[in-house]
Structures are given as structure tokens and as C-alpha cells.
Amino acid sequence: MFTEIAKGLYTTLKVLFRPKVTIRYPDEKKQRSARYHGRHELRTYDNGLEMCIGCELCQVACPAAAITVLAAENDPANPHSPGERYGYKYQVDMLRCIFCGLCEEACPTDCLHLTQEFELADYTRESLIYQKDRLVNKLPSSFKVPGNVYPPFDGRKVVVKA
Ligand code: SF4
Ligand code: SF4
């Protein structure tokens, strides 16, 4: 009897001063790796134009059929993106996504980016199907419109339209 109690106390004391492996989530969050695949964002150029050209390569690359892209022609007087087309409709179904990152790799303009954000829980199916209004990042950007887009873009500033 005494031996068992002593054994139990020894085990308790042995682990009592070890560094904790748990954290106080959600007040504390673990550092994620630089290559972590979280929630998607669609980047914009520094002049406000969308980087997405509606090429649909991300949709084709997705093994989970989570992305839907519909492209439309740009109005040359009031374009959404440099080039002929833009992503008129862009939708990511977070319920299907397996966060593999293949869509990001397929994107020819570096528009599509998987961020570090991982807290995506919500209450309805609809709220987990992200549309452009939740995907386009409207924060100031340092990406410049490349000089080889067709038709050439004159460099004017525009307002981001989501
Ligand atoms: S991360 Fe993978 S599964 Fe998710 S949308 Fe991109 S390609 Fe599809
Ligand atoms: S996000 Fe990239 S790959 Fe997808 S449609 Fe837009 S430009 Fe093409």
C-alpha cells in the first residue's frame, strides 16, 4: 500500500516541474510555420487593381473542387484587373478545402495566397462558402502591376471593387 502511494507521488513529482506542452488557447496561439496553409486571400496591386485575371487555373488545380471562378471581360475604361479578364465571381468552399495549397501554386499572378489564419469555425454552411467580399484583401499592397500585361495598363490608380 505504502509502496503504491510512494510510486504515485514520485510520478507526480517527476512531471510537476517539466515545461508545459499545452498553452492557454485562444488567449495564446502557437507560432505557425511560414509555409502554413490557412484561409485564402486574393491580393491586389498597389494601385488597387485586383491581381486575379480570372484564368481559372486554381479551380482546375484544386483536387477537392472547392474553388469556383467565373471570368468576365474588363471594361478598358474602368478595369478590375490589368489584362483582358478578371474574376467576376470567385468562391471558395471552406467545407471542401483540404488546405493543400495547390491552388496557390497554380496561380500565375501570385494573386491567390493562403494566409496563416486558421480559426474558420462558423455556424452555417453558407457562411463557410467565401465570396469575393471576404476574399479580396483591400489592405495597402506593395505589388506592382507587371510591365508585360496585355493590353498594357496605363498605371492609374483605381478603387478596389469587391
Ligand atoms: S488549398 Fe487545395 S483544396 Fe483548398 S482550395 Fe486550394 S487547391 Fe483546393
Ligand atoms: S486566383 Fe490566380 S489562378 Fe485563380 S483565377 Fe485568379 S489569377 Fe487565375
Side-chain angles (χ1 to χ4, degrees), residues 52-58 69 90 107-109 112:
C52 180
I53 53 171
C55 68
E56 301 170 19
L57 286 177
C58 51
V69 187
Y90 198 101
C107 181
T109 65
L112 186 54

XYZ file of all heavy atoms in Angstrom, residues 52-58 69 90 107-109 112, ligand 2:
102
model
N -6.118 39.050 -59.636
C -6.772 37.911 -60.286
C -7.199 38.286 -61.698
O -7.833 39.321 -61.905
C -7.986 37.474 -59.479
S -8.841 36.067 -60.228
N -6.828 37.434 -62.657
C -7.193 37.666 -64.046
C -8.243 36.658 -64.523
O -8.480 36.526 -65.726
C -5.945 37.611 -64.959
C -5.182 36.305 -64.721
C -5.047 38.815 -64.714
C -4.049 36.042 -65.704
N -8.813 35.947 -63.582
C -9.901 35.022 -63.928
C -9.486 33.879 -64.816
O -10.302 33.347 -65.580
N -8.233 33.418 -64.710
C -7.743 32.379 -65.626
C -8.291 30.993 -65.283
O -8.215 30.075 -66.082
C -6.222 32.354 -65.611
S -5.548 31.784 -64.040
N -8.765 30.818 -64.065
C -9.390 29.572 -63.601
C -8.403 28.436 -63.333
O -8.810 27.290 -63.117
C -10.499 29.106 -64.559
C -11.594 30.146 -64.711
C -12.582 29.834 -65.820
O -12.653 28.671 -66.237
O -13.277 30.762 -66.256
N -7.094 28.718 -63.376
C -6.114 27.650 -63.137
C -6.225 27.106 -61.722
O -6.019 25.918 -61.476
C -4.695 28.171 -63.396
C -4.319 28.356 -64.859
C -2.917 28.937 -64.980
C -4.387 27.024 -65.603
N -6.551 27.960 -60.763
C -6.691 27.490 -59.378
C -7.860 26.515 -59.278
O -7.783 25.508 -58.579
C -6.892 28.677 -58.439
S -8.189 29.806 -58.944
N -14.579 29.767 -60.149
C -14.210 31.059 -60.727
C -15.019 31.274 -61.995
O -15.103 30.370 -62.837
C -12.713 31.127 -61.112
C -12.333 32.532 -61.553
C -11.824 30.666 -59.979
N -15.782 34.741 -57.618
C -14.724 33.907 -57.046
C -15.232 33.365 -55.724
O -15.631 34.118 -54.848
C -13.436 34.707 -56.816
C -12.248 33.804 -56.660
C -11.372 33.589 -57.708
C -12.026 33.124 -55.468
C -10.304 32.714 -57.575
C -10.969 32.251 -55.329
C -10.112 32.058 -56.385
O -9.066 31.188 -56.244
N -1.465 29.534 -59.365
C -1.838 30.909 -59.738
C -0.685 31.620 -60.456
O 0.394 31.778 -59.881
C -2.231 31.689 -58.489
S -2.729 33.377 -58.863
N -0.893 32.066 -61.697
C 0.204 32.664 -62.461
C 0.521 34.100 -62.060
O 1.561 34.632 -62.438
C -0.313 32.616 -63.910
C -1.791 32.678 -63.775
C -2.127 31.972 -62.486
N -0.349 34.749 -61.318
C -0.103 36.152 -60.970
C 0.258 36.346 -59.499
O 0.398 37.477 -59.036
C -1.359 37.006 -61.266
O -2.418 36.560 -60.394
C -1.798 36.896 -62.701
N -3.473 34.554 -55.601
C -4.069 33.704 -54.566
C -3.012 33.334 -53.533
O -1.939 32.841 -53.865
C -4.636 32.440 -55.216
C -5.414 31.505 -54.293
C -6.530 32.225 -53.571
C -5.966 30.347 -55.078
S -6.628 33.363 -58.354
Fe -4.924 33.119 -59.768
S -5.186 31.095 -60.700
Fe -7.157 31.667 -59.755
S -8.337 32.607 -61.415
Fe -7.278 34.262 -60.311
S -5.342 34.548 -61.433
Fe -6.169 32.557 -62.067
